[in-house]
Amino acid sequence: MKVKICLAFLTLFLTACSRDKIVDTPNSLEHETGPATIKIVTPENNAVINSSSEFIVTVERGEQIKPIQCDIDFKLLKELSAAPFSFTWNSNEFCNGIHIFTISAWDTLYNVTIHDSITVTIQNPIQSFTDIATDAFNKSDYSVFEWEKLPVTVDSDYFRFALTSQDHLFLCDGDVKRSKDHGLTWETIRLNSFGECPTKTIFIDQNDSLFVVRNCLLKSGDYGNTWMFEDYPFWASAFLKTNTGAIVWGGFNEMYRSTDYGKSYEQKFTYYGMPLTCIKNYKNMIFAGTEIDGVICSRDDGNTWEAMNGGIQKGQSGYAGKISDIEYNPVTDELFAAVGSFLYKLDSSNNSWPQLYNVYTRIEAFAFDSKGNLYVAGNMAQGLGMLFKSFDNNTFQSTNTVGNEEHAYIKDIVINSADRPFICSSSGVYRLRD
């Protein structure tokens, strides 16, 4: 009996060993190796970057994965599809502060996403305005203006300005706030009867009608005193009424058009990236800026769209990048676009954008006064908001930092009929002193 039991245990042991030996054969790649791995080795986690730098990824079992997507702050920076898994990136293309690098890829053998991430701090050297020596700047024109902070708070990270022909100033920061006396006093326009959803954007058409986007489209024909509900759930990030009265808007990555204020609508175009950043009428065309895919335009009142990015310097991702603003000069009737720290001017003869100059700060918005003078608002390192003024669209004067406060992140600028600029920043609303 004991012999039979021992033989039984011996048989089970030999069977188990035999099975282990079969599993460990080279044909059993899954058991032997496991999913592929990817790791960021350069830069190191928590590194401080202040110049061009190598980005290096180590890969194990790369034959199992599709191209590696490299993101900075969750936006595509580069795709790596073959060894060596590395590239050079320029920190000067990004603002100073903390940034997150993420890499991800799809393991085709195990059907899983693999990823790695690090945090770095960019500390590019801060150049003062008077230290910048380029042909686009003239040091002898340097002067300092003073800002006056206005008695209104900005209650959201997403805020926009709008100005009527009567110089009524509107601030959209989740609520809608209005000033009828050039910013000296403000009142909040309550729209709670239309739901609790925050106001996302605001637009004023050629007839001074106001439009605000919440979870629906609201319209006011009396400078915000009364509002009319348009029965449609909107999701627009930028909105425009065309010269024919149609409306076009962009959401996450699609353009729509409606002739009845959104009660019915058609999808007209799909672009890469989200959301739409700005949209403008210009002559018989409509120009829109995207977050990643540069400029798109329509020649037929928003029915069809096409990309128009000739001349715009592409980023390392291969895309034209974020168009922060598009404006036209009312004196010369020329159209301008801002990408990063660069300003471009449309050449209508070949539908391209020759680069004009670099203002050495990330441009958020710009505007022209009635004389054609250009004001460029942007943000330097450590959140220092700056305004540059040009009397000839070539040489610039600089103001001091907005409010002399750090982290006064500028988002928008408008200029009233008296040619006075108003700046909306995260630390408040400002205007230039007389």
Side-chain angles (χ1 to χ4, degrees), residues 6-28:
C6 291
L7 288 173
F9 275 112
L10 181 60
T11 301
L12 288 172
F13 175 75
L14 291 174
T15 301
C17 290
S18 176
R19 287 176 180 172
D20 285 344
K21 187 175 182 180
I22 293 173
V23 171
D24 283 335
T25 60
N27 293 330
S28 301

Side-chain angles (χ1 to χ4, degrees), residues 77-286:
L77 179 63
K78 189 80 171 179
E79 279 193 349
L80 303 175
S81 57
F85 295 97
S86 64
F87 62 94
T88 301
W89 65 284
N90 186 359
S91 67
N92 290 301
E93 294 184 4
F94 305 92
C95 62
N96 282 5
I98 297 175
H99 297 267
I100 299 173
F101 280 108
T102 305
I103 58 174
S104 60
W106 179 254
D107 189 314
T108 58
L109 181 61
Y110 283 79
N111 292 326
V112 294
T113 299
I114 55 177
H115 56 83
D116 188 30
S117 64
I118 62 169
T119 299
V120 302
T121 300
I122 294 178
Q123 288 185 358
N124 296 316
I126 302 175
Q127 291 179 295
S128 66
F129 178 83
T130 53
D131 288 339
I132 298 173
T134 71
D135 293 337
F137 289 81
N138 186 331
K139 294 181 183 179
S140 63
D141 285 340
Y142 175 78
S143 63
V144 176
F145 297 90
E146 292 185 359
W147 289 101
E148 177 183 2
K149 190 171 185 178
L150 301 176
V152 61
T153 58
V154 178
D155 297 322
S156 171
D157 292 333
Y158 188 88
F159 40 88
R160 284 294 183 186
F161 259 164
L163 187 70
T164 72
S165 63
Q166 301 299 314
D167 283 343
H168 292 178
L169 188 62
F170 288 83
L171 168 64
C172 170
D173 65 346
D175 289 319
V176 176
K177 300 170 182 177
R178 175 179 63 185
S179 175
K180 299 179 181 180
D181 54 6
H182 310 289
L184 295 178
T185 61
W186 294 80
E187 59 182 320
T188 298
I189 300 174
R190 299 295 178 187
L191 299 172
N192 292 341
S193 59
F194 298 104
E196 297 296 328
C197 183
T199 304
K200 301 172 185 177
T201 191
I202 187 168
F203 171 76
I204 298 177
D205 71 5
Q206 302 91 324
N207 301 317
D208 267 359
S209 294
L210 274 73
F211 298 87
V212 298
V213 174
R214 293 161 68 86
N215 57 345
C216 61
L217 180 65
L218 304 178
K219 176 184 177 182
S220 174
D222 55 4
Y223 302 104
N225 291 315
T226 60
W227 294 84
M228 180 173 61
F229 175 75
E230 299 294 338
D231 189 15
Y232 176 68
F234 253 69
W235 59 91
S237 58
F239 168 87
L240 178 74
K241 186 177 180 181
T242 72
N243 294 329
T244 66
I247 61 171
V248 293
W249 70 93
F252 291 104
N253 63 348
E254 297 167 334
M255 293 296 300
Y256 294 88
R257 183 177 186 271
S258 173
T259 57
D260 55 7
Y261 293 99
K263 292 182 177 64
S264 61
Y265 62 96
E266 293 181 280
Q267 179 184 331
K268 294 296 185 180
F269 188 73
T270 300
Y271 52 88
Y272 180 76
M274 66 177 194
L276 205 66
T277 56
C278 53
I279 186 167
K280 293 289 188 302
N281 285 313
Y282 177 67
K283 297 184 177 178
N284 294 319
M285 300 175 66
I286 304 171

Side-chain angles (χ1 to χ4, degrees), residues 19 37 51 58 65 73 86 130 138 140 190 218 229-230 236 258 296 306 318 337-338 374 397 414 424 429 432:
R19 287 176 180 172
T37 61
S51 61
T58 60
I65 65 174
D73 300 329
S86 64
T130 53
N138 186 331
S140 63
R190 299 295 178 187
L218 304 178
F229 175 75
E230 299 294 338
S258 173
I296 58 176
E306 61 183 299
L374 172 61
Q397 294 175 301
V414 295
C424 184
V429 177
L432 284 183

Side-chain angles (χ1 to χ4, degrees), residues 314-429:
K314 294 184 178 180
Q316 292 184 358
S317 65
Y319 293 95
K322 176 182 179 180
I323 308 297
S324 56
D325 202 2
I326 298 174
E327 300 289 345
Y328 72 93
N329 187 326
V331 175
T332 64
D333 203 23
E334 296 171 313
L335 192 70
F336 295 76
V339 184
S341 63
F342 294 95
L343 277 172
Y344 296 81
K345 182 173 70 173
L346 177 65
D347 184 347
S348 299
S349 65
N350 58 11
N351 294 325
S352 66
W353 299 88
Q355 186 183 113
L356 294 184
Y357 29 70
N358 184 356
V359 298
Y360 290 88
T361 184
R362 189 182 65 227
I363 300 171
E364 293 295 335
F366 64 98
F368 292 91
D369 65 16
S370 63
K371 301 180 181 65
N373 299 319
L374 172 61
Y375 292 81
V376 179
N379 298 290
M380 297 187 74
Q382 300 174 349
L384 298 179
M386 299 289 291
L387 181 72
F388 301 98
K389 179 181 180 180
S390 175
F391 293 98
D392 58 6
N393 296 341
N394 284 301
T395 54
F396 284 80
Q397 294 175 301
S398 171
T399 74
N400 59 339
T401 57
V402 175
N404 291 314
E405 301 177 23
E406 290 191 2
H407 308 296
Y409 180 84
I410 292 179
K411 187 68 174 181
D412 211 353
I413 176 174
V414 295
I415 301 177
N416 70 5
S417 60
D419 287 342
R420 169 181 276 183
F422 290 76
I423 293 290
C424 184
S425 80
S426 57
S427 65
V429 177

